[in-house]
């Protein structure tokens, strides 16, 4: 059991940005999303939208860091989709397969929010297949998707 003073000091430390964040703030819509703070140096006082943007940038720059995220947000997943699609277009099937394997692993969590309708079903339908067949099924599904993955997302909040 932690003391109230320790709890207060922890909240103060987080609010001042003295800690490295490894999750969104309590009450955030993606509060179940976690990441290994060793791979994402994000101060705890950074706003949630900026946290998500920084993590997406990290995924674009170093896609394998996706493996260090639990319950990635749909935006994080779309960053990986775009990379997989790009790798396929350039003929880098092995790299695309690595990214698809990361998606399959991420979808092992029942708490992940599905970024592309039908992806969870494709992954679940392949549980009886070997790894190569599962990866191929996911890549085929991503290749058949109609929406582009490299869409720029905008914050639609009204100006203050």
């Amino acid at each position: 059991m932690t003391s109230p003073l320790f709890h207060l000091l922890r909240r103060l430390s987080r609010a001042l940005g003295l800690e490295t964040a490894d999750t969104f703030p309590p009450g955030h819509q993606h509060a179940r999303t976690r990441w290994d703070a060793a791979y994402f140096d994000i101060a705890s006082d950074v706003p949630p939208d900026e946290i998500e943007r920084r993590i997406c940038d990290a995924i674009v720059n170093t896609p394998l860091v996706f493996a260090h995220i639990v319950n990635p947000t749909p935006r994080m997943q779309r960053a990986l989709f775009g990379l997989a699609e790009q790798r396929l277009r350039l003929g880098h099937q092995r790299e695309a397969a690595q990214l698809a394997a990361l998606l399959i692993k991420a979808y092992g969590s029942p708490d992940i929010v599905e970024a592309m309708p039908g992806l969870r079903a494709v992954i679940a339908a392949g549980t009886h297949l070997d790894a190569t067949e599962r990866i191929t099924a996911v890549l085929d599904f991503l290749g058949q998707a109609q929406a582009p993955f490299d869409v720029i997302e905008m914050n639609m909040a009204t100006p203050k």
Side-chain angles (χ1 to χ4, degrees):
M1 192 150 168
T2 61
S3 72
L5 181 60
F6 178 74
H7 181 69
L8 179 63
L9 287 174
R10 181 154 170 84
R11 289 185 61 196
L12 180 64
S13 175
R14 181 178 177 96
L16 293 174
L18 301 175
E19 295 181 17
T20 301
D22 62 356
T23 185
F24 289 106
H28 187 268
Q29 69 178 2
H30 298 297
R32 292 180 186 244
T33 299
R34 305 261 186 278
W35 54 88
D36 187 334
Y39 292 91
F40 306 94
D41 187 21
I42 300 171
S44 57
D45 65 340
V46 174
D49 287 342
E50 179 64 14
I51 289 173
E52 190 173 30
R53 188 196 62 73
R54 289 182 187 184
I55 292 175
C56 289
D57 288 347
I59 292 167
V60 169
N61 292 324
T62 312
L64 297 181
V65 298
F66 191 85
H68 302 283
I69 304 170
V70 176
N71 298 322
T73 67
R75 187 173 172 192
M76 294 172 193
Q77 293 173 54
R78 285 191 296 274
L80 197 69
F81 296 161
L83 292 170
E85 188 269 334
Q86 177 189 48
R87 299 306 195 269
L88 285 172
R89 198 171 3 102
L90 296 173
H92 299 233
Q93 277 74 16
R94 184 172 177 213
E95 293 173 20
Q98 286 178 320
L99 302 180
L102 292 174
L103 278 171
I104 292 169
K105 184 176 183 257
Y107 272 77
S109 169
D111 296 323
I112 192 169
V113 176
E114 187 176 36
M116 182 183 297
L119 181 58
R120 183 185 310 277
V122 168
I123 291 172
T127 56
H128 67 284
L129 303 173
D130 71 12
T132 304
E133 293 172 322
R134 290 185 84 189
I135 289 169
T136 301
V138 168
L139 290 175
D140 287 347
F141 178 78
L142 293 177
Q144 294 173 6
Q146 298 297 318
F149 302 121
D150 55 355
V151 172
I152 298 171
E153 294 190 20
M154 295 176 50
N155 184 356
M156 298 305 286
T158 55
K160 294 180 182 177

